[in-house]
Amino acid sequence: MARQNYMFTSESVSEGHPDKLCDRISDAVLDAFLAEDPEARVACETFATTDRVVVGGEVRGTQHVIDSVEEIARACVKDIGYEQEGFHWETFKMNNYLHEQSKDIAQGVDSADDKDEGAGDQGIMFGYAVDETPELMPAPIHYAHSILARLAEVRKSGAEPSLGPDAKTQLSLRFENGKPVSAASIVLSTQHMDEKMTSGDVRDVVEPYIRDILPKSWINSETEWHVNPTGKFVIGGPDGDAGLTGRKIIVDTYGGASPHGGGAFSGKDPTKVDRSAAYAARYLAKNVVASGMATRCVIQLSYAIGVAKPLSIYADTYGTGTVHETEIERAVAEVMDLTPRGIREHLGLNKPIYQRTAAYGHFGRAPEADGGFSWEKINLVDALKRAV
Protein backbone atom coordinates (compact mmCIF):
# COMPACT_ATOMS: atom_id res chain seq x y z
CA MET A 1 0.00 0.00 0.00
CA ALA A 2 1.27 3.49 -0.87
CA ARG A 3 2.51 5.72 1.95
CA GLN A 4 -0.10 8.12 3.29
CA ASN A 5 2.00 10.41 5.50
CA TYR A 6 5.15 11.92 4.02
CA MET A 7 6.82 15.06 2.66
CA PHE A 8 7.36 15.70 -1.07
CA THR A 9 9.26 18.48 -2.84
CA SER A 10 9.09 19.91 -6.36
CA GLU A 11 10.75 22.90 -8.00
CA SER A 12 9.88 25.29 -10.80
CA VAL A 13 11.81 27.94 -12.70
CA SER A 14 10.59 31.19 -14.24
CA GLU A 15 10.35 32.15 -17.90
CA GLY A 16 13.54 34.15 -17.44
CA HIS A 17 15.60 31.16 -16.29
CA PRO A 18 18.29 30.56 -18.94
CA ASP A 19 17.01 27.07 -19.84
CA LYS A 20 13.41 28.28 -20.04
CA LEU A 21 14.43 31.22 -22.22
CA CYS A 22 15.93 28.67 -24.62
CA ASP A 23 12.78 26.53 -24.50
CA ARG A 24 10.76 29.65 -25.32
CA ILE A 25 12.85 30.52 -28.38
CA SER A 26 12.77 26.93 -29.67
CA ASP A 27 8.99 26.77 -29.33
CA ALA A 28 8.55 30.20 -30.91
CA VAL A 29 10.53 28.97 -33.93
CA LEU A 30 8.31 25.86 -34.04
CA ASP A 31 5.17 27.99 -33.92
CA ALA A 32 6.45 30.14 -36.78
CA PHE A 33 6.94 27.06 -38.96
CA LEU A 34 3.53 25.57 -38.08
CA ALA A 35 1.82 28.90 -38.79
CA GLU A 36 3.20 28.72 -42.34
CA ASP A 37 2.77 24.94 -42.80
CA PRO A 38 0.89 22.68 -40.36
CA GLU A 39 2.89 19.71 -41.65
CA ALA A 40 6.29 21.34 -41.08
CA ARG A 41 9.01 19.25 -39.42
CA VAL A 42 11.03 20.99 -36.72
CA ALA A 43 13.71 19.94 -34.24
CA CYS A 44 15.07 23.24 -32.96
CA GLU A 45 17.63 23.63 -30.18
CA THR A 46 18.72 26.90 -28.55
CA PHE A 47 21.79 27.76 -26.50
CA ALA A 48 22.21 31.05 -24.65
CA THR A 49 25.08 32.59 -22.71
CA THR A 50 26.45 36.05 -22.01
CA ASP A 51 25.52 38.33 -24.92
CA ARG A 52 24.84 35.44 -27.32
CA VAL A 53 22.05 33.17 -28.57
CA VAL A 54 22.71 30.18 -30.84
CA VAL A 55 19.89 28.36 -32.65
CA GLY A 56 20.42 25.10 -34.54
CA GLY A 57 18.70 21.92 -35.61
CA GLU A 58 16.89 20.39 -38.55
CA VAL A 59 13.71 21.58 -40.17
CA ARG A 60 11.53 21.02 -43.18
CA GLY A 61 9.58 24.14 -43.99
CA THR A 62 9.78 27.53 -45.67
CA GLN A 63 13.05 29.41 -46.01
CA HIS A 64 11.17 32.54 -44.99
CA VAL A 65 10.92 31.25 -41.43
CA ILE A 66 14.58 30.23 -41.28
CA ASP A 67 15.48 33.78 -42.31
CA SER A 68 13.30 35.27 -39.54
CA VAL A 69 14.78 33.28 -36.63
CA GLU A 70 16.81 36.21 -35.30
CA GLU A 71 13.71 38.40 -35.22
CA ILE A 72 11.79 35.64 -33.41
CA ALA A 73 14.54 35.20 -30.80
CA ARG A 74 14.81 38.92 -30.07
CA ALA A 75 11.03 39.20 -29.65
CA CYS A 76 11.08 36.36 -27.10
CA VAL A 77 13.90 37.88 -25.07
CA LYS A 78 12.21 41.29 -25.14
CA ASP A 79 8.93 39.86 -23.88
CA ILE A 80 10.69 37.99 -21.08
CA GLY A 81 12.25 41.29 -20.06
CA TYR A 82 16.03 41.14 -20.47
CA GLU A 83 17.56 44.59 -20.83
CA GLN A 84 20.73 44.18 -18.75
CA GLU A 85 24.29 44.94 -19.74
CA GLY A 86 25.37 41.33 -20.28
CA PHE A 87 22.18 40.23 -22.03
CA HIS A 88 19.91 42.72 -23.79
CA TRP A 89 17.26 41.82 -26.34
CA GLU A 90 18.48 44.48 -28.77
CA THR A 91 22.22 43.80 -28.65
CA PHE A 92 22.93 40.10 -28.05
CA LYS A 93 24.83 38.37 -30.87
CA MET A 94 22.86 35.78 -32.82
CA ASN A 95 23.94 32.62 -34.68
CA ASN A 96 21.43 30.64 -36.75
CA TYR A 97 22.41 27.09 -37.76
CA LEU A 98 19.05 25.60 -38.75
CA HIS A 99 19.32 23.22 -41.71
CA GLU A 100 17.20 20.80 -43.72
CA GLN A 101 15.91 17.62 -42.09
CA SER A 102 17.89 14.43 -42.66
CA LYS A 103 16.46 12.39 -45.57
CA ASP A 104 17.14 9.20 -43.59
CA ILE A 105 14.86 10.37 -40.79
CA ALA A 106 12.23 11.68 -43.22
CA GLN A 107 11.89 8.33 -45.02
CA GLY A 108 11.14 6.55 -41.76
CA VAL A 109 8.66 9.09 -40.46
CA ASP A 110 6.71 10.14 -43.54
CA SER A 111 3.63 8.24 -44.66
CA ALA A 112 3.64 6.42 -48.00
CA ASP A 113 1.35 4.23 -50.09
CA ASP A 114 2.28 1.11 -48.12
CA LYS A 115 2.60 2.54 -44.61
CA ASP A 116 1.18 5.05 -42.15
CA GLU A 117 3.19 7.93 -40.74
CA GLY A 118 5.72 6.53 -38.27
CA ALA A 119 6.94 7.82 -34.94
CA GLY A 120 9.67 10.44 -35.18
CA ASP A 121 11.91 8.50 -32.81
CA GLN A 122 11.95 5.54 -30.47
CA GLY A 123 11.18 6.22 -26.83
CA ILE A 124 8.99 5.81 -23.79
CA MET A 125 6.54 8.47 -22.63
CA PHE A 126 4.59 8.82 -19.39
CA GLY A 127 1.42 10.67 -18.50
CA TYR A 128 0.23 11.17 -14.94
CA ALA A 129 -2.78 12.47 -13.04
CA VAL A 130 -3.69 12.59 -9.35
CA ASP A 131 -6.57 14.13 -7.44
CA GLU A 132 -4.42 16.36 -5.19
CA THR A 133 -5.60 19.50 -7.04
CA PRO A 134 -8.66 20.40 -9.16
CA GLU A 135 -6.32 20.34 -12.18
CA LEU A 136 -5.47 16.69 -11.31
CA MET A 137 -1.82 17.63 -10.93
CA PRO A 138 0.62 16.88 -8.10
CA ALA A 139 0.26 19.73 -5.62
CA PRO A 140 3.98 20.58 -5.11
CA ILE A 141 4.72 21.27 -8.79
CA HIS A 142 1.33 22.89 -9.41
CA TYR A 143 1.80 25.49 -6.69
CA ALA A 144 5.50 26.01 -7.47
CA HIS A 145 4.49 26.96 -11.02
CA SER A 146 1.69 29.18 -9.75
CA ILE A 147 4.01 31.15 -7.47
CA LEU A 148 6.43 32.00 -10.28
CA ALA A 149 3.68 32.74 -12.78
CA ARG A 150 2.19 35.23 -10.31
CA LEU A 151 5.54 36.92 -9.69
CA ALA A 152 6.10 37.21 -13.44
CA GLU A 153 2.67 38.79 -13.80
CA VAL A 154 3.31 41.54 -11.24
CA ARG A 155 6.84 42.11 -12.56
CA LYS A 156 5.69 42.59 -16.14
CA SER A 157 2.67 44.70 -15.16
CA GLY A 158 4.95 47.18 -13.39
CA ALA A 159 3.46 46.48 -9.97
CA GLU A 160 6.80 45.09 -8.72
CA PRO A 161 9.57 46.69 -10.83
CA SER A 162 12.27 45.58 -8.40
CA LEU A 163 11.93 41.94 -9.54
CA GLY A 164 14.01 40.54 -12.40
CA PRO A 165 13.11 37.86 -14.97
CA ASP A 166 15.23 35.02 -13.56
CA ALA A 167 13.77 33.05 -10.63
CA LYS A 168 13.48 29.59 -9.09
CA THR A 169 11.22 28.22 -6.39
CA GLN A 170 11.05 24.97 -4.47
CA LEU A 171 8.09 23.82 -2.41
CA SER A 172 8.08 21.03 0.20
CA LEU A 173 4.58 19.92 1.21
CA ARG A 174 3.52 17.67 4.05
CA PHE A 175 0.97 15.00 3.17
CA GLU A 176 -1.40 13.31 5.61
CA ASN A 177 -3.67 10.48 4.52
CA GLY A 178 -2.34 11.02 1.01
CA LYS A 179 -3.42 14.69 0.78
CA PRO A 180 -1.31 17.88 1.06
CA VAL A 181 -1.96 19.69 4.35
CA SER A 182 0.85 22.21 4.89
CA ALA A 183 3.99 23.81 3.48
CA ALA A 184 7.05 22.55 5.33
CA SER A 185 9.39 24.88 3.47
CA ILE A 186 9.25 27.56 0.78
CA VAL A 187 12.41 28.34 -1.18
CA LEU A 188 12.56 31.25 -3.62
CA SER A 189 15.53 32.80 -5.38
CA THR A 190 14.64 35.72 -7.60
CA GLN A 191 16.69 38.21 -9.53
CA HIS A 192 16.26 41.79 -8.31
CA MET A 193 17.16 45.02 -10.06
CA ASP A 194 18.21 47.08 -7.02
CA GLU A 195 21.68 46.05 -5.80
CA LYS A 196 20.94 47.42 -2.35
CA MET A 197 18.08 44.99 -1.67
CA THR A 198 18.74 42.42 1.05
CA SER A 199 17.18 38.96 1.29
CA GLY A 200 14.74 40.45 3.82
CA ASP A 201 13.78 43.20 1.38
CA VAL A 202 13.09 40.63 -1.33
CA ARG A 203 10.99 38.55 1.05
CA ASP A 204 8.91 41.62 1.90
CA VAL A 205 8.13 41.99 -1.81
CA VAL A 206 7.34 38.36 -2.65
CA GLU A 207 5.75 36.97 0.50
CA PRO A 208 2.27 38.54 0.02
CA TYR A 209 2.03 36.99 -3.47
CA ILE A 210 3.13 33.57 -2.23
CA ARG A 211 0.54 33.71 0.53
CA ASP A 212 -2.12 34.60 -2.04
CA ILE A 213 -1.24 31.51 -4.11
CA LEU A 214 -1.01 28.86 -1.38
CA PRO A 215 -4.04 27.74 0.63
CA LYS A 216 -4.10 29.86 3.78
CA SER A 217 -3.94 26.93 6.19
CA TRP A 218 -0.72 25.62 4.61
CA ILE A 219 1.54 28.39 5.96
CA ASN A 220 2.05 28.33 9.71
CA SER A 221 4.67 28.98 12.38
CA GLU A 222 6.55 25.82 11.41
CA THR A 223 6.92 26.76 7.74
CA GLU A 224 10.55 27.47 6.85
CA TRP A 225 11.23 30.38 4.49
CA HIS A 226 14.40 30.66 2.38
CA VAL A 227 14.21 33.75 0.16
CA ASN A 228 17.39 34.54 -1.79
CA PRO A 229 19.36 32.50 0.76
CA THR A 230 22.72 33.26 -0.86
CA GLY A 231 22.13 37.03 -0.73
CA LYS A 232 22.39 39.33 -3.74
CA PHE A 233 20.99 38.09 -7.07
CA VAL A 234 21.35 40.93 -9.58
CA ILE A 235 23.11 39.25 -12.52
CA GLY A 236 20.60 36.74 -13.89
CA GLY A 237 19.60 34.91 -17.04
CA PRO A 238 22.14 33.77 -19.62
CA ASP A 239 24.59 36.40 -18.37
CA GLY A 240 24.73 34.60 -15.03
CA ASP A 241 24.46 31.00 -16.24
CA ALA A 242 24.23 29.37 -19.67
CA GLY A 243 20.91 27.98 -20.90
CA LEU A 244 19.95 25.13 -23.20
CA THR A 245 16.71 23.77 -24.62
CA GLY A 246 15.33 20.69 -22.90
CA ARG A 247 17.16 20.76 -19.57
CA LYS A 248 14.09 21.20 -17.36
CA ILE A 249 12.07 18.11 -18.23
CA ILE A 250 10.96 17.41 -14.65
CA VAL A 251 9.85 21.03 -14.24
CA ASP A 252 7.94 20.65 -17.53
CA THR A 253 6.03 17.58 -16.34
CA TYR A 254 5.17 16.40 -12.82
CA GLY A 255 7.94 17.65 -10.54
CA GLY A 256 9.30 14.16 -9.94
CA ALA A 257 5.98 12.71 -8.74
CA SER A 258 5.77 10.43 -11.78
CA PRO A 259 8.23 8.44 -13.91
CA HIS A 260 9.67 10.28 -16.92
CA GLY A 261 10.73 8.82 -20.24
CA GLY A 262 13.61 11.26 -20.59
CA GLY A 263 12.58 13.09 -23.76
CA ALA A 264 12.29 16.88 -23.81
CA PHE A 265 9.40 18.72 -25.46
CA SER A 266 10.36 22.21 -26.60
CA GLY A 267 11.35 22.84 -30.20
CA LYS A 268 9.87 19.55 -31.45
CA ASP A 269 6.95 19.33 -33.87
CA PRO A 270 4.14 16.92 -32.93
CA THR A 271 5.33 14.07 -35.17
CA LYS A 272 7.98 13.65 -32.46
CA VAL A 273 6.35 11.29 -29.98
CA ASP A 274 8.64 12.63 -27.24
CA ARG A 275 6.16 15.48 -27.22
CA SER A 276 2.85 14.33 -28.71
CA ALA A 277 2.70 10.92 -27.02
CA ALA A 278 3.58 12.48 -23.65
CA TYR A 279 0.63 14.83 -24.19
CA ALA A 280 -1.59 11.88 -25.15
CA ALA A 281 -0.50 9.90 -22.08
CA ARG A 282 -1.35 12.85 -19.80
CA TYR A 283 -4.71 13.23 -21.56
CA LEU A 284 -5.54 9.57 -21.01
CA ALA A 285 -4.34 9.47 -17.39
CA LYS A 286 -6.29 12.64 -16.58
CA ASN A 287 -9.48 11.21 -18.08
CA VAL A 288 -9.00 7.95 -16.16
CA VAL A 289 -8.85 9.88 -12.87
CA ALA A 290 -11.67 12.25 -13.88
CA SER A 291 -13.85 9.21 -14.67
CA GLY A 292 -13.48 7.90 -11.10
CA MET A 293 -11.58 4.76 -12.16
CA ALA A 294 -8.66 5.78 -9.92
CA THR A 295 -7.47 8.67 -7.79
CA ARG A 296 -3.94 8.32 -9.17
CA CYS A 297 -2.88 6.97 -12.55
CA VAL A 298 0.21 6.76 -14.74
CA ILE A 299 0.09 5.72 -18.40
CA GLN A 300 3.22 4.63 -20.29
CA LEU A 301 3.43 4.45 -24.08
CA SER A 302 6.40 3.18 -26.11
CA TYR A 303 7.31 3.64 -29.78
CA ALA A 304 9.89 2.69 -32.41
CA ILE A 305 11.11 5.14 -35.04
CA GLY A 306 9.19 4.75 -38.28
CA VAL A 307 6.54 2.49 -36.70
CA ALA A 308 3.05 3.91 -36.32
CA LYS A 309 1.41 1.90 -33.54
CA PRO A 310 2.71 2.00 -29.97
CA LEU A 311 4.72 -1.07 -29.01
CA SER A 312 3.20 -1.16 -25.53
CA ILE A 313 0.59 0.46 -23.31
CA TYR A 314 0.98 0.25 -19.53
CA ALA A 315 -1.23 1.61 -16.74
CA ASP A 316 -0.65 1.75 -12.99
CA THR A 317 -3.19 3.11 -10.52
CA TYR A 318 -1.02 2.56 -7.41
CA GLY A 319 -3.70 0.54 -5.71
CA THR A 320 -6.34 3.28 -6.07
CA GLY A 321 -8.20 1.80 -9.06
CA THR A 322 -11.84 0.76 -9.13
CA VAL A 323 -11.14 -1.33 -12.27
CA HIS A 324 -8.12 -3.46 -13.08
CA GLU A 325 -5.18 -1.89 -14.90
CA THR A 326 -5.48 -4.36 -17.80
CA GLU A 327 -8.99 -3.05 -18.43
CA ILE A 328 -7.68 0.53 -18.43
CA GLU A 329 -4.93 -0.43 -20.89
CA ARG A 330 -7.49 -2.03 -23.21
CA ALA A 331 -9.90 0.90 -22.85
CA VAL A 332 -7.43 3.70 -23.63
CA ALA A 333 -6.37 1.91 -26.82
CA GLU A 334 -10.02 1.60 -27.79
CA VAL A 335 -11.03 5.23 -27.24
CA MET A 336 -8.02 6.90 -28.88
CA ASP A 337 -5.90 6.21 -31.96
CA LEU A 338 -2.39 6.29 -30.50
CA THR A 339 -0.48 6.41 -33.77
CA PRO A 340 1.43 9.69 -34.25
CA ARG A 341 -1.12 10.91 -36.79
CA GLY A 342 -4.02 9.74 -34.65
CA ILE A 343 -2.70 11.69 -31.65
CA ARG A 344 -2.12 14.82 -33.70
CA GLU A 345 -5.59 14.73 -35.21
CA HIS A 346 -7.40 13.86 -31.97
CA LEU A 347 -5.70 16.64 -29.98
CA GLY A 348 -5.36 19.13 -32.86
CA LEU A 349 -1.61 19.49 -32.44
CA ASN A 350 -0.63 20.84 -35.88
CA LYS A 351 -1.13 24.43 -34.76
CA PRO A 352 1.15 27.23 -33.49
CA ILE A 353 0.25 26.59 -29.83
CA TYR A 354 3.59 25.73 -28.28
CA GLN A 355 5.38 28.92 -27.26
CA ARG A 356 2.92 29.32 -24.36
CA THR A 357 3.92 25.89 -22.99
CA ALA A 358 7.59 26.80 -22.53
CA ALA A 359 7.25 28.08 -18.94
CA TYR A 360 5.15 27.11 -15.91
CA GLY A 361 4.49 23.55 -17.06
CA HIS A 362 3.02 21.72 -20.01
CA PHE A 363 0.33 20.14 -17.84
CA GLY A 364 -2.34 21.34 -15.44
CA ARG A 365 -3.21 24.35 -17.61
CA ALA A 366 -6.70 25.24 -18.81
CA PRO A 367 -7.61 24.21 -22.38
CA GLU A 368 -7.76 27.27 -24.64
CA ALA A 369 -10.18 28.24 -27.40
CA ASP A 370 -7.55 28.10 -30.17
CA GLY A 371 -6.52 24.54 -29.29
CA GLY A 372 -3.80 25.30 -26.76
CA PHE A 373 -3.50 22.69 -23.99
CA SER A 374 -6.08 20.48 -25.71
CA TRP A 375 -4.54 17.51 -23.87
CA GLU A 376 -5.99 18.91 -20.63
CA LYS A 377 -9.60 18.30 -21.70
CA ILE A 378 -11.61 15.65 -19.86
CA ASN A 379 -13.88 14.75 -22.79
CA LEU A 380 -13.05 11.02 -22.83
CA VAL A 381 -14.73 10.19 -19.53
CA ASP A 382 -17.93 8.74 -21.01
CA ALA A 383 -16.07 6.81 -23.70
CA LEU A 384 -13.73 5.27 -21.12
CA LYS A 385 -16.64 4.25 -18.90
CA ARG A 386 -18.34 2.54 -21.84
CA ALA A 387 -15.11 0.79 -22.81
CA VAL A 388 -14.65 -0.83 -19.40
Side-chain angles (χ1 to χ4, degrees):
M1 184 176 178
R3 290 178 64 189
Q4 296 297 298
N5 301 319
Y6 55 92
M7 190 185 304
F8 196 83
T9 303
S10 294
E11 70 159 349
S12 181
V13 297
S14 72
E15 63 199 70
H17 185 281
D19 296 330
K20 281 287 127 199
L21 178 143
C22 292
D23 285 344
R24 169 79 176 270
I25 293 172
S26 293
D27 274 338
V29 171
L30 169 62
D31 279 353
F33 275 102
L34 292 177
E36 295 270 344
D37 177 8
E39 298 293 330
R41 300 288 189 264
V42 180
C44 176
E45 311 292 345
T46 303
F47 167 72
T49 187
T50 301
D51 200 32
R52 186 172 296 274
V53 171
V54 181
V55 175
E58 57 174 34
V59 299
R60 189 168 66 196
T62 61
Q63 183 65 41
H64 159 71
V65 178
I66 296 177
D67 293 340
S68 66
V69 164
E70 180 171 347
E71 179 184 346
I72 292 168
R74 293 192 187 281
C76 289
V77 176
K78 181 180 181 181
D79 182 68
I80 290 169
Y82 278 113
E83 295 184 344
Q84 59 197 46
E85 183 177 349
F87 195 76
H88 193 294
W89 67 270
E90 282 186 309
T91 58
F92 68 76
K93 298 178 180 64
M94 177 77 194
N95 299 94
N96 179 3
Y97 298 112
L98 288 179
H99 60 83
E100 285 294 312
Q101 183 185 49
S102 160
K103 293 180 180 179
D104 291 345
I105 292 178
Q107 71 178 355
V109 175
D110 291 348
S111 58
D113 292 339
D114 59 344
K115 77 176 192 71
D116 194 4
E117 176 186 284
D121 201 352
Q122 71 176 47
I124 55 175
M125 300 83 204
F126 290 92
Y128 182 68
V130 64
D131 66 351
E132 294 171 11
T133 62
E135 296 79 9
L136 303 184
M137 282 290 287
I141 189 67
H142 172 75
Y143 285 103
H145 286 324
S146 298
I147 288 168
L148 290 183
R150 178 62 175 146
L151 293 179
E153 180 184 348
V154 297
R155 170 179 65 86
K156 296 170 85 169
S157 72
E160 298 294 350
S162 64
L163 298 178
D166 195 356
K168 301 176 75 171
T169 193
Q170 185 171 284
L171 192 60
S172 299
L173 298 184
R174 285 194 181 90
F175 286 72
E176 293 180 3
N177 298 317
K179 300 297 182 184
V181 296
S182 66
S185 65
I186 300 167
V187 181
L188 178 78
S189 295
T190 180
Q191 185 183 9
H192 52 93
M193 312 313 293
D194 184 351
E195 292 196 27
K196 297 180 181 179
M197 291 182 76
T198 66
S199 296
D201 294 332
V202 175
R203 177 171 171 175
D204 288 342
V205 171
V206 303
E207 183 172 342
Y209 299 108
I210 295 173
R211 287 183 177 274
D212 283 345
I213 292 297
L214 297 180
K216 288 183 170 40
S217 63
W218 284 12
I219 300 177
N220 53 50
S221 60
E222 296 182 356
T223 301
E224 294 183 20
W225 290 78
H226 301 279
V227 177
N228 282 24
T230 62
K232 187 169 68 172
F233 183 7
V234 175
I235 299 173
D239 189 28
D241 191 10
L244 192 66
T245 299
R247 285 205 299 201
K248 288 292 178 285
I249 58 176
I250 300 302
V251 170
D252 286 341
T253 52
Y254 308 103
S258 165
H260 196 295
F265 301 157
S266 290
K268 297 178 181 177
D269 74 76
T271 66
K272 278 75 169 173
V273 284
D274 273 350
R275 183 169 216 157
S276 57
Y279 290 173
R282 160 65 179 173
Y283 175 61
L284 293 170
K286 185 175 184 181
N287 277 268
V288 166
V289 173
S291 72
M293 294 180 191
T295 60
R296 182 183 177 199
C297 180
V298 67
I299 300 287
Q300 184 206 54
L301 305 173
S302 71
Y303 292 84
I305 188 169
V307 179
K309 291 186 177 181
L311 305 183
S312 66
I313 301 172
Y314 168 80
D316 189 353
T317 59
Y318 302 92
T320 71
T322 59
V323 298
H324 197 275
E325 282 95 340
T326 56
E327 285 297 297
I328 293 174
E329 291 162 2
R330 182 186 58 78
V332 297
E334 182 178 318
V335 301
M336 185 175 182
D337 179 355
L338 292 171
T339 64
R341 181 170 294 280
I343 292 171
R344 289 162 52 214
E345 291 179 350
H346 189 112
L347 296 178
L349 298 182
N350 284 93
K351 299 175 182 177
I353 55 175
Y354 297 104
Q355 186 177 172
R356 69 196 74 170
T357 69
Y360 315 120
H362 291 245
F363 306 124
R365 314 275 287 272
E368 297 178 349
D370 66 352
F373 302 102
S374 60
W375 49 93
E376 290 297 315
K377 293 179 179 179
I378 51 173
N379 55 3
L380 279 185
V381 167
D382 291 339
L384 282 169
K385 287 180 177 179
R386 288 193 298 269
V388 299

